[in-house]
Amino acid sequence: MPKKKKVLFAINSLAGGGAERVLTTLLAASEPWRERYALHLALLDQEPRVYAVPDWIEIHQLDARHKPVSGLFQLRSLVARLAPDVTLSFLTRANVANAVAMAGRGKPWLISERVNTSAHLGSGTGAKFAKAMVRASYPRASHVIAVSEGVVEDLVVNFGVRRDRVSAIANPVDHRRIAELAREMPSFRPRGAYVIAAGRLVPNKNFSMLLGAYAEAQLPARLVILGEGPERGALEARARALGIADRVDMPGFIDNPYALLARAELFAMPSNAEGFPNGLVEAMACGLPVVATNCASGPSEILADMAREAVAGPMDVDAGALVPTDDPKRFAAALRAVHAEPRRTTAGVAARQRSLAYGVEQAAENYWARIERALEHRSWATGDVRNGEIVLSSGVSQ
């Protein structure tokens, strides 16, 4: 029997988050490939694991302690010992570490970019350094897998990734698991009917705008915002200032959000930027109509099958509505229109149907197609590491 080729996946940790959930979902769906490949997973940081990994995948626990340089050298040391035939990393820090680890080894390596990189890294001295690292490493990857066409465009235009070395694979949605969890009783029960939003309480999610839009819309339903983060105090103060504090619930992070989503009347996504809005598709999988901003990246592709730039102004879609970013008046109008019957029911049915395009099996097949193509074509960047610095050069081998 021929020796199995080794595939090494890498990520910062499994401590929680969308990228971590996506990776573990893909790994669980990779069982059809385990007969041909030996699968390994490297975790850069030693943190409690929120998501489970199949027992037929070997886990290599590193201890970088969130320090980028430590992660670079620890992953490179692991790669030297393990000698994988191909690697695939998730999240920016792990992606850069993957570039260093595989430099000069003559083997293909792929990265998965989970966010709109320009928007996610922001500005400032630290952001400039992070962007420089992305520009130095991402273009050298055998292939870059983005979560949406908007992220593809950002990587090509702003980070020098060749268009023929990047493609979009949407995040998978595990409809079977969501349906099972949706049937459970929610751990939090709002007092009456409610519309719902979810995400980390940070400025980019723009829940402040949502509060203003909700106050103006005067819906006959409460507003529930799931998630935790540094903006909590400011959002609670804004709800009080708007006079809606008694109609807004912020229960924090909930282990099973699907039980709450499935009982809501509408899902609102007010973000200024996304990589791929997992929460949006998961809400659609629960049969919820949606009102979402036309932010970079993903909502227009999901809801209208169009590039963001092709959507001018607010737009009605089968599953609900797309609204320009940071526009509370238009968002309020969309909330009223989509929440009203019979549109609410018909949009919810359409949302559920549209979500089926983002199934787990399809995503796993697409990821493995990229991995196997890299192994077959043997076309990648090569390089070396000298004195802790990446020295890279383009190389093609047939």
Side-chain angles (χ1 to χ4, degrees):
M1 179 179 291
K3 188 177 180 181
K4 292 181 181 180
K5 290 188 175 182
K6 296 177 183 176
V7 181
L8 175 64
F9 296 85
I11 195 168
N12 300 347
S13 73
L14 296 181
E20 293 84 350
R21 184 171 66 250
V22 167
L23 174 57
T24 51
T25 298
L26 288 170
L27 291 176
S30 294
E31 189 162 9
W33 287 270
R34 63 181 291 206
E35 295 301 320
R36 284 174 280 166
Y37 303 99
L39 274 60
H40 298 257
L41 172 64
L43 304 176
L44 300 189
D45 303 322
Q46 195 160 4
E47 296 190 41
R49 299 171 192 170
V50 173
Y51 304 110
V53 176
D55 57 11
W56 40 266
I57 296 175
E58 185 173 349
I59 298 177
H60 303 268
Q61 181 63 67
L62 309 181
D63 191 14
R65 301 181 182 182
H66 303 272
K67 297 177 181 178
V69 174
S70 180
L72 302 181
F73 286 104
Q74 288 190 37
L75 186 61
R76 184 163 176 85
S77 177
L78 172 63
V79 165
R81 297 194 310 272
L82 187 64
D85 294 281
V86 61
T87 61
L88 170 60
S89 53
F90 283 61
L91 296 176
T92 307
R93 181 156 57 93
N95 290 341
V96 174
N98 188 15
V100 174
M102 295 298 286
R105 301 197 181 278
K107 299 287 185 180
W109 52 280
L110 300 87
I111 61 177
S112 179
E113 184 53 277
R114 320 303 307 161
V115 296
N116 184 285
T117 314
S118 295
H120 177 71
L121 295 179
S123 58
T125 303
K128 288 180 181 178
F129 175 76
K131 289 178 179 179
M133 292 299 292
V134 169
R135 290 190 186 98
S137 55
Y138 281 34
R140 269 73 176 186
S142 309
H143 197 78
V144 180
I145 300 171
V147 290
S148 66
E149 292 296 340
V151 173
V152 168
E153 192 66 19
D154 180 55
L155 292 171
V156 170
V157 173
N158 297 314
F159 295 95
V161 179
R162 279 171 36 187
R163 195 170 290 276
D164 62 350
R165 283 199 180 187
V166 60
S167 59
I169 301 177
N171 284 343
V173 173
D174 191 340
H175 287 79
R176 187 179 298 108
R177 177 161 174 75
I178 287 175
E180 290 173 356
L181 292 171
R183 286 192 289 269
E184 296 181 0
M185 291 302 296
S187 58
F188 171 77
R189 298 294 296 268
R191 300 189 309 274
Y194 58 95
V195 299
I196 193 166
R200 184 160 163 74
L201 307 184
V202 294
N204 250 0
K205 297 297 183 181
N206 207 5
F207 291 122
S208 178
M209 186 277 285
L210 174 60
L211 289 171
Y214 172 75
E216 181 166 334
Q218 297 185 337
L219 299 180
R222 301 180 66 80
L223 172 63
V224 175
I225 301 177
L226 299 182
E228 197 53 81
E231 288 274 288
R232 170 176 284 278
L235 293 172
E236 290 173 339
R238 177 152 171 75
R240 289 192 297 270
L242 290 167
I244 57 173
D246 61 337
R247 300 179 60 222
V248 176
D249 298 307
M250 297 176 61
F253 178 83
I254 290 180
D255 287 337
N256 177 10
Y258 308 110
L260 204 56
L261 283 166
R263 292 163 174 81
E265 294 187 334
L266 180 148
F267 182 79
M269 196 200 80
S271 298
N272 287 335
E274 294 278 347
F276 180 89
N278 274 21
L280 176 65
V281 183
E282 289 172 347
M284 292 165 65
C286 290
L288 287 187
V290 298
V291 174
T293 52
N294 184 26
C295 67
S297 310
S300 66
E301 298 168 34
I302 295 166
L303 295 174
D305 201 20
M306 296 170 63
R308 182 191 183 207
E309 297 75 17
V311 179
M315 179 181 185
D316 290 339
V317 295
D318 290 344
L322 269 172
V323 182
T325 56
D326 207 22
D327 191 332
K329 289 189 177 297
R330 284 174 165 170
F331 205 94
L335 286 173
R336 285 192 297 268
V338 177
H339 186 265
E341 292 288 17
R343 185 174 175 187
R344 187 201 319 166
T345 296
T346 57
V349 172
R352 164 70 183 174
Q353 185 61 36
R354 176 61 179 160
S355 76
L356 297 177
Y358 299 92
V360 173
E361 292 79 9
Q362 180 179 342
E365 289 176 3
N366 288 337
Y367 265 86
W368 277 100
R370 303 303 190 279
I371 293 170
E372 292 184 327
R373 190 174 303 155
L375 284 167
E376 291 168 2
H377 290 182
R378 297 182 61 81
S379 173
W380 53 83
T382 60
D384 201 355
V385 175
R386 303 171 192 163
N387 299 322
E389 297 180 347
I390 307 177
V391 182
L392 294 160
S393 60
S394 295
V396 178
S397 173
Q398 298 298 328

